[in-house]
Amino acid sequence: MSTKEIPYKRLIRLALLTTPLFALFGSMPSFFRQPFNNQPNGHLYMIVMSFTILFLMTALLWSTNILILKFSEHAAVLKKNKLRYFTSALLAVLVTLIMFQLIKLLFAPPPLPAAAEAIRLRSPRNLFIFPFVQSESINLIVLILIEVLLLQTERNAIQQENDQLKFANLEAKHTLLLQQLQPHFLFNALTTLKALIIKSPDKAETYLNKLTAFLRHSVNTTKNVMVPLSEELDLTTNYLEMQKVRFGEALHYRIEIPESIQEQGLVPIYSLQLLAENAIKHNILTLASPLTIKIEANIAETSISVSNNLQLKPSLEQKSGGVGLNNLSERYRLQGKPDIVIKKSPQEFSVHINVCKQ
């Protein structure tokens, strides 16, 4: 594990948290143990002594294991977990010996009566072995806590790397989808411009100016996967104004979106513009039967609907590569957002898209 992946600060915080807890629980038997002498302070001395020994032992074991982990970054031989565990176990024995020598120097026990001293001398050897068993047990728990923390850190690093790769993949797919849309839009726009130049040069000039403004606006936002709703509405309004130059009163549109959702909402770029373009592409527009496009927010302001009165062109003109709605549905899927909802009745066609929060 590299230096950047070892969470030393978290290890130190965990050591500071667990050291007094180990000392407290380890010294619990001293509360119920009867001291050798009957002095008033004998029981309190035993409790304080037990807590102090365990506190120092745990602190030293934590420090030893963190230092071993630190040295393992520079010593290749210690990077093997088995050798690191073995070194930790040996050092735990050494720490126990050193600690007990310091305890004897710092805390001189009260003198025991001759009878108590005789009992102590006849005590079984396991009373001497017990501190080493206890230190190795604490050391084992410390090692387990360290390994759990290291594994958690490594898992988080892998998850972060996977998320970055996933995001890069989403951006690549998003770019590909936009590349599908842009030629599709430009082909329709240039075809319209060509027709206007022949039939109405004045309208062609106005249309070209609005097309230029539309493209300038879109160039500044195409790098973003999601854009503020207000920006998408400006883009869609520019597009609809372009189409009004072409169709005149045969096209009407109405946008009713509260300002609150405009400032806070996010939608995929070209989403509303694409739906407006589809409505114009697939329906008949005449002065006698104008097309009306409505862009509205639902009551909860969590989605937006783009609807139009249904007056479809003949079926032969309906053949399409499926770029529009399939493209928008795929972009929502890549973002992990709810899919678009398409509703169709004999009188109206509508598409509902989710609005994300900033």
Side-chain angles (χ1 to χ4, degrees):
M1 185 171 290
S2 64
T3 305
K4 293 182 179 179
E5 294 175 331
I6 298 179
Y8 288 109
K9 291 183 178 179
R10 294 180 63 188
L11 286 173
I12 293 173
R13 286 199 297 267
L14 185 59
L16 293 175
L17 175 64
T18 57
T19 297
L21 292 178
F22 285 167
L24 178 62
F25 286 112
S27 60
M28 288 294 289
S30 300
F31 286 89
F32 310 101
R33 187 183 301 166
Q34 185 68 27
F36 285 115
N37 56 2
N38 294 320
Q39 296 180 4
N41 296 328
H43 193 260
L44 178 61
Y45 172 82
M46 183 180 294
I47 295 174
V48 173
M49 193 68 175
S50 177
F51 181 87
T52 304
I53 291 173
L54 289 172
F55 185 91
L56 293 176
M57 178 189 296
T58 307
L60 287 172
L61 290 174
W62 266 111
S63 302
T64 301
N65 281 284
I66 292 176
L67 287 175
I68 293 174
L69 197 62
K70 181 67 176 177
F71 289 143
S72 68
E73 298 177 293
H74 308 288
V77 66
L78 286 178
K79 290 184 178 180
K80 297 180 180 180
N81 285 337
K82 290 183 179 179
L83 183 58
R84 181 162 61 87
Y85 300 155
F86 182 72
T87 304
S88 176
L90 288 180
L91 289 178
V93 174
L94 181 62
V95 164
T96 306
L97 291 173
I98 295 175
M99 184 196 65
F100 269 96
Q101 293 301 320
L102 291 175
I103 292 296
K104 289 181 179 180
L105 294 175
L106 296 176
F107 300 94
L112 296 176
E117 181 66 20
I119 295 175
R120 187 184 69 83
L121 293 175
R122 293 197 303 268
S123 297
R125 293 183 179 181
N126 60 0
L127 293 179
F128 174 78
I129 299 174
F130 177 75
F132 295 96
V133 175
Q134 191 176 40
S135 67
E136 289 295 345
S137 301
I138 295 175
N139 189 63
L140 179 61
I141 297 175
V142 169
L143 282 173
I144 292 174
L145 291 175
I146 289 176
E147 290 304 317
V148 169
L149 193 56
L150 292 179
L151 288 174
Q152 183 183 29
T153 302
E154 186 176 4
R155 185 187 63 180
N156 292 339
I158 293 173
Q159 182 63 41
Q160 184 178 6
E161 184 178 355
N162 289 337
D163 291 342
Q164 291 174 350
L165 291 174
K166 182 179 178 180
F167 183 74
N169 185 44
L170 291 179
E171 284 190 326
K173 289 185 176 181
H174 170 74
T175 302
L176 179 61
L177 292 172
L178 287 183
Q179 288 173 351
Q180 293 177 349
L181 286 178
Q182 290 168 348
H184 176 74
F185 168 77
L186 287 175
F187 174 79
N188 292 337
L190 294 177
T191 301
T192 301
L193 180 61
K194 178 182 176 181
L196 287 175
I197 290 174
I198 297 173
K199 295 180 180 179
S200 178
D202 293 340
K203 287 186 177 181
E205 183 179 357
T206 304
Y207 184 89
L208 181 59
N209 291 334
K210 292 185 177 295
L211 175 61
T212 302
F214 176 86
L215 293 176
R216 184 184 301 112
H217 188 275
S218 64
V219 166
N220 295 330
T221 55
T222 50
K223 294 181 180 180
N224 299 323
V225 176
M226 307 288 285
V227 296
L229 178 57
S230 57
E231 292 186 15
E232 181 64 19
L233 286 173
D234 290 341
L235 196 69
T236 305
T237 302
N238 289 340
Y239 171 79
L240 290 171
E241 286 297 322
M242 283 170 48
Q243 301 309 311
K244 282 191 68 68
V245 174
R246 176 186 176 187
F247 295 105
E249 292 302 314
L251 173 64
H252 301 288
Y253 71 89
R254 185 172 74 248
I255 299 177
E256 297 180 354
I257 306 292
E259 291 187 3
S260 58
I261 189 175
Q262 289 191 35
E263 298 300 326
Q264 300 177 3
L266 291 173
V267 293
I269 186 171
Y270 296 135
S271 54
L272 299 180
Q273 181 272 327
L274 174 65
L275 295 176
E277 182 182 358
N278 273 356
I280 295 172
K281 175 183 176 183
H282 295 292
N283 289 276
I284 298 173
L285 290 83
T286 63
L287 292 175
S289 300
L291 179 70
T292 302
I293 299 175
K294 294 180 291 184
I295 303 177
E296 302 168 311
N298 67 346
I299 298 177
E301 298 185 357
T302 57
S303 67
I304 291 178
S305 65
V306 179
S307 60
N308 60 272
N309 52 319
L310 203 58
Q311 40 196 36
L312 294 174
K313 293 179 180 179
S315 58
L316 291 178
E317 300 182 23
Q318 294 301 306
K319 292 183 179 181
S320 172
V323 173
L325 295 179
N326 290 337
N327 181 292
L328 183 57
S329 177
E330 178 69 6
R331 284 194 283 159
Y332 267 103
R333 187 189 69 80
L334 292 176
Q335 291 295 315
K337 306 300 181 183
D339 199 2
I340 64 175
V341 178
I342 301 174
K343 296 181 180 180
K344 184 178 180 180
S345 69
Q347 294 79 30
E348 187 179 71
F349 180 85
S350 64
V351 179
H352 301 256
I353 65 173
N354 184 262
V355 178
C356 307
K357 296 295 184 180
Q358 293 192 27

